[in-house]
Amino acid sequence: MNDPLVFLSISLEANKGAYAVLVGSGVSRGARIPTGWEITCDLIRRVAVTQNQEVGEDPAGWYRCRFCKEPDYSELLEALASTEPERQRLLMRYFEPTPEERERGLKVPSSAHRALAKLVSSGYVRVVLTTNFDRLLEHALQDAGIEPTVVSTEDQVKGLPPLASALPKALVCKLHGDYLDSRIRNTAPELEAYSEAVSQLLDRILDEFGLIVCGWSAKWDVALRRAIERRSTRRFTTFWACRGEPEEEARRLIEHCQAVRIEIRDANHFFEDVLDKVRALEQLGSNHPVIAKEEVKLYLSEYRYRIRLHDLVTREVEETKKRIRERIHSAETFPTNAFDPEEYQRQLTLYESMCEPVVSMLAALAYHDPGGYTKLLVKAVERMSTISFPGGPFCAAYQKLAFLPGLFCLYAAGITARANNRWKHLAGFLLHARCLDPVTGKKEPLISAMTPRAVFAGMETDLCNLLGEARGQPCSGKADLLAVPSEYLFERLQPKLAEYLPEPSEYEEVFDLFEQLVSFVWLDLNSQPHQAGQIGSQKVPFGRYIRRIASSPSVEDSRLFKDTEVLPPSALRFGLFLRGSSHLHDSTHLHNIWLDHRNRAWQAAGRS
């Protein structure tokens, strides 16, 4: 994934309620709540003051020397406050705001707590694990209209109802206790192990839920580290948000969990960003190019998501086809009258916009998948290229535009596959893909029917004018009318594929390589070397690369790429050229056929 925060947001939105969040002291740090160890050290200073002692910069060291044992939070509290009300009043200064602090926004729920509470109230998060003693999260949840089930002691854990009944409201597990309970875990021995009841609850949560970690260093909490280490299942991806380099203990856990690490500025910005992105996803659904692409990359990341990936792509293909069907079956949206240039341009824009999500999905899948989803890709492109029309008269130009989404899908997936040398995908598109001819009702090779020249047949001059207006210069030269359908695709797909081919020169090179490969495979499927003159040149799928090739009739002068550039030796095992071993090693004879068709096509256009 390019952006792990987007990865996390898509996972949360797509798997509502499937994630638990683990927050440490870093989340409350923005509210100026001290850590448990900072409180312990301050209590030691108070004990020292009562004994007229100076602790210096190492309160814990002073305590060990003075009392010959490790500092104990409970003993310190008892030494400073003998009754429960006194202890609570002592601790309140660390956790409850004074009027001045409240006015300054200190020791009150931070934006991190409130964003997390909104994720809980929206159902995206159902379990929060925390090592913090404060009650800021509980306050934020209450402000969001949620009264959570809170467990902070072993007795509460034992009395917890089954998770199924506890979770509708939300469950907050305070693993180290609550500041108003003197039994909190704070010292090294206390953090070494949990009770059996707490360990069992923690194991179940870690087994059944994905995990999002923020503000936890993992350095001191041995028992919690061990619980994560014994986690045997990974139903969902683990995400670990941290500022800068993590501690060594956290780094080992990240590696053990195969977690996605997210660099963050602080907890406030992290949870706010997650909430904003999840809300945006909720409003957009999957019907947005960026979201569609990122969902594919998410599900490609792990084999266990293969069924979800299949369903995601299939659903988007069928939803796009449904939009096309609704358009061509409606007299209001599918014009049947005489051709109008302005209406044609409007139709172009509409068809392009309605297929953007599926185009984005297939481009990402063809680029990133090494070959496991070729059948899914081929089926998707076939479905997008098979269109049936109702009876009645139609303007042919408008009718052909219904195939534009399929053409966009083929080109986007083909170009990204070529960019990353995914030859299995290319063989699937060019050799095995079929589509239904709406006239004959028969299936034919996709590259015979789904070509720019076929979709834009008769509209070359209008496309020339559109491109000329966009560039501020008219089309010119004898190759323009042959190349302009591909030129239009070239212009429209470039921003959509910029992630894979960011440099304009690289994009042009790969686009032209793909189109020349299509031309040669088409010729190989439709001709023998001695039958060059028997195929109508108007059917040959010339590409925009024809404009880059010299008009000389000789083979060498009209070559744009070397044979091994069009079809590298590593690709030959996929059988892109079917007949004869000579086809596999030297495309000169195919280039001769291509050159003959190009010259005759120019002559037919009156451009000798």
Side-chain angles (χ1 to χ4, degrees):
M1 298 291 295
N2 293 334
D3 187 345
L5 192 60
V6 172
F7 189 172
L8 166 58
S9 303
I10 291 175
S11 295
L12 268 179
E13 199 274 338
N15 302 283
K16 201 168 187 177
Y19 276 86
V21 175
L22 168 59
V23 296
S25 60
V27 173
S28 291
R29 173 62 69 185
R32 303 296 174 86
I33 297 292
T35 66
W37 184 247
E38 288 171 342
I39 294 171
T40 298
C41 289
D42 191 64
L43 293 177
I44 291 173
R45 293 188 185 95
R46 291 177 180 274
V47 169
V49 167
T50 64
Q51 299 183 10
N52 297 318
Q53 297 284 318
E54 289 288 340
V55 300
E57 296 182 359
D58 185 11
W62 173 86
Y63 189 91
R64 294 186 194 99
C65 291
R66 180 72 174 177
F67 299 102
C68 300
K69 61 181 179 180
E70 290 294 322
D72 183 275
Y73 181 83
S74 299
E75 291 181 3
L76 286 166
L77 278 179
E78 290 177 3
L80 294 168
S82 58
T83 67
E84 185 66 22
E86 289 174 336
R87 286 193 289 271
Q88 290 185 5
R89 289 179 64 85
L90 175 62
L91 290 173
M92 283 177 65
R93 70 175 64 236
Y94 300 110
F95 297 99
E96 300 294 337
T98 64
E100 181 183 351
E101 287 173 330
R102 186 179 296 278
E103 187 175 344
R104 294 169 57 197
L106 303 179
K107 296 180 183 176
V108 296
S110 66
S111 55
H113 294 104
R114 298 199 182 280
L116 179 53
K118 289 174 183 175
L119 288 170
V120 172
S121 67
S122 300
Y124 291 107
V125 174
R126 297 194 293 167
V127 177
V128 179
L129 306 171
T130 178
T131 60
N132 298 335
F133 308 138
D134 62 71
R135 295 184 172 183
L136 297 184
L137 179 59
E138 294 97 302
H139 295 329
L141 287 168
Q142 290 165 350
D143 291 343
I146 299 292
E147 194 63 48
T149 299
V150 181
V151 293
S152 60
T153 67
E154 182 178 1
D155 293 338
Q156 289 174 336
V157 170
K158 290 179 178 179
L160 184 69
L163 286 183
S165 59
L167 291 184
K169 294 181 178 180
L171 176 65
V172 177
C173 296
K174 306 186 80 166
L175 297 170
H176 295 171
D178 183 275
Y179 81 90
L180 291 180
D181 190 321
S182 61
R183 293 170 292 179
I184 64 173
R185 298 179 180 88
N186 196 24
T187 64
E190 293 168 342
L191 298 175
E192 186 75 23
Y194 294 137
S195 68
E196 183 178 354
V198 172
S199 294
Q200 288 177 353
L201 175 62
L202 190 53
D203 287 347
R204 183 174 176 187
I205 290 172
L206 294 175
D207 178 68
E208 295 181 8
F209 293 86
L211 189 63
I212 301 166
V213 181
C214 182
W216 182 58
S217 70
K219 186 174 181 64
W220 311 106
D221 306 323
V222 178
L224 184 51
R225 287 205 311 265
R226 288 173 179 166
I228 295 175
E229 287 170 350
R230 20 175 222 273
R231 190 182 184 198
S232 58
T233 59
R234 294 190 180 93
R235 291 185 176 90
F236 302 95
T237 303
T238 297
F239 296 91
W240 200 297
C242 52
R243 295 177 58 188
E245 286 299 314
E247 298 279 358
E248 177 62 24
E249 293 81 1
R251 188 192 62 76
R252 287 200 298 266
L253 284 180
I254 290 171
E255 184 176 341
H256 172 76
C257 297
Q258 299 177 355
V260 175
R261 182 177 157 191
I262 304 175
E263 293 282 349
I264 64 171
R265 176 177 169 183
D266 54 42
N268 289 341
H269 286 87
F270 170 66
F271 281 108
E272 286 181 328
D273 286 348
V274 171
L275 178 63
D276 288 344
K277 284 179 169 55
V278 168
R279 282 177 166 174
L281 288 170
E282 190 175 46
Q283 293 175 0
L284 289 172
S286 62
N287 192 27
H288 187 278
V290 173
I291 303 308
K293 172 189 66 179
E294 296 299 335
E295 280 192 291
V296 166
K297 291 157 69 175
L298 164 64
Y299 291 144
L300 265 177
S301 64
E302 296 190 49
Y303 180 73
R304 61 185 171 177
Y305 294 145
R306 64 194 183 283
I307 296 177
R308 293 185 186 183
L309 177 57
H310 178 277
D311 292 347
L312 174 72
V313 173
T314 302
R315 182 174 64 249
E316 188 58 45
V317 167
E318 295 308 316
E319 288 179 357
T320 305
K321 282 182 66 67
K322 180 182 178 182
R323 292 193 289 271
I324 296 172
R325 281 196 302 271
E326 290 173 348
R327 181 158 198 82
I328 64 179
H329 282 74
S330 170
E332 295 180 0
T333 56
F334 191 67
T336 59
N337 54 350
F339 177 78
D340 177 74
E342 290 185 2
E343 178 61 26
Y344 185 80
Q345 185 172 357
R346 190 176 78 87
Q347 294 286 327
L348 269 176
T349 303
L350 288 172
Y351 278 113
E352 180 180 344
S353 64
M354 74 170 58
C355 71
E356 282 189 349
V358 72
V359 167
S360 183
M361 280 185 179
L362 298 184
L365 184 56
Y367 184 87
H368 292 288
D369 172 50
Y373 293 96
T374 298
K375 288 184 178 179
L376 177 62
L377 278 165
V378 170
K379 182 180 178 181
V381 174
E382 287 179 333
R383 290 286 295 151
M384 289 301 303
S385 304
T386 300
I387 305 293
S388 59
F389 295 90
F394 293 103
C395 174
Y398 298 143
Q399 188 176 21
K400 290 173 183 175
L401 277 184
F403 292 94
L404 184 62
L407 184 63
F408 267 98
C409 288
L410 172 63
Y411 263 64
I415 291 165
T416 56
R418 182 62 185 83
N420 211 15
N421 296 317
R422 303 302 193 190
W423 294 103
K424 186 178 179 182
H425 298 334
L426 288 167
F429 298 143
L430 304 185
L431 295 179
H432 307 302
R434 298 287 186 271
C435 66
L436 195 67
D437 187 315
V439 178
T440 65
K442 297 180 179 179
K443 285 190 173 182
E444 59 178 312
L446 189 68
I447 63 169
S448 296
M450 197 54 55
T451 67
R453 295 185 70 192
V455 173
F456 294 111
M459 302 307 303
E460 291 85 355
T461 301
D462 293 272
L463 287 179
C464 252
N465 293 334
L466 285 175
L467 289 171
E469 290 174 5
R471 296 169 176 168
Q473 60 182 22
C475 295
S476 61
K478 64 183 179 180
D480 278 352
L481 290 183
L482 292 178
V484 73
S486 291
E487 194 71 39
Y488 178 81
L489 288 182
F490 177 85
E491 297 276 352
R492 301 308 300 162
L493 283 174
Q494 185 168 10
K496 304 179 195 303
L497 305 182
E499 175 180 335
Y500 315 102
L501 297 162
E503 294 297 326
S505 59
E506 183 185 17
Y507 171 71
E508 181 177 40
E509 191 83 351
V510 174
F511 188 101
D512 289 350
L513 277 168
F514 172 70
E515 285 206 310
Q516 185 144 33
L517 179 62
V518 171
S519 297
F520 281 10
V521 173
W522 189 96
L523 287 168
D524 186 68
L525 292 174
N526 288 276
S527 68
Q528 295 288 348
H530 62 278
Q531 295 175 326
Q534 297 180 19
I535 305 173
S537 296
Q538 294 303 318
K539 294 183 178 181
V540 179
F542 296 113
R544 70 177 294 279
Y545 64 87
I546 198 172
R547 302 177 69 176
R548 298 174 62 191
I549 295 178
S551 60
S552 169
S554 72
V555 171
E556 290 305 319
D557 289 345
S558 61
R559 281 190 185 279
L560 181 59
F561 303 107
K562 297 177 181 179
D563 295 344
T564 53
E565 291 177 318
V566 177
L567 190 69
S570 60
L572 299 181
R573 65 189 180 92
F574 294 104
L576 279 170
F577 292 130
L578 299 180
R579 297 185 306 275
S581 60
S582 62
H583 287 195
L584 301 177
H585 302 289
D586 182 5
S587 63
T588 298
H589 63 294
L590 283 175
H591 198 94
N592 271 312
I593 298 171
W594 176 89
L595 187 62
D596 176 67
H597 283 295
R598 185 207 65 178
N599 292 337
R600 288 193 290 115
W602 277 355
Q603 292 171 2
R607 300 169 181 273
S608 58

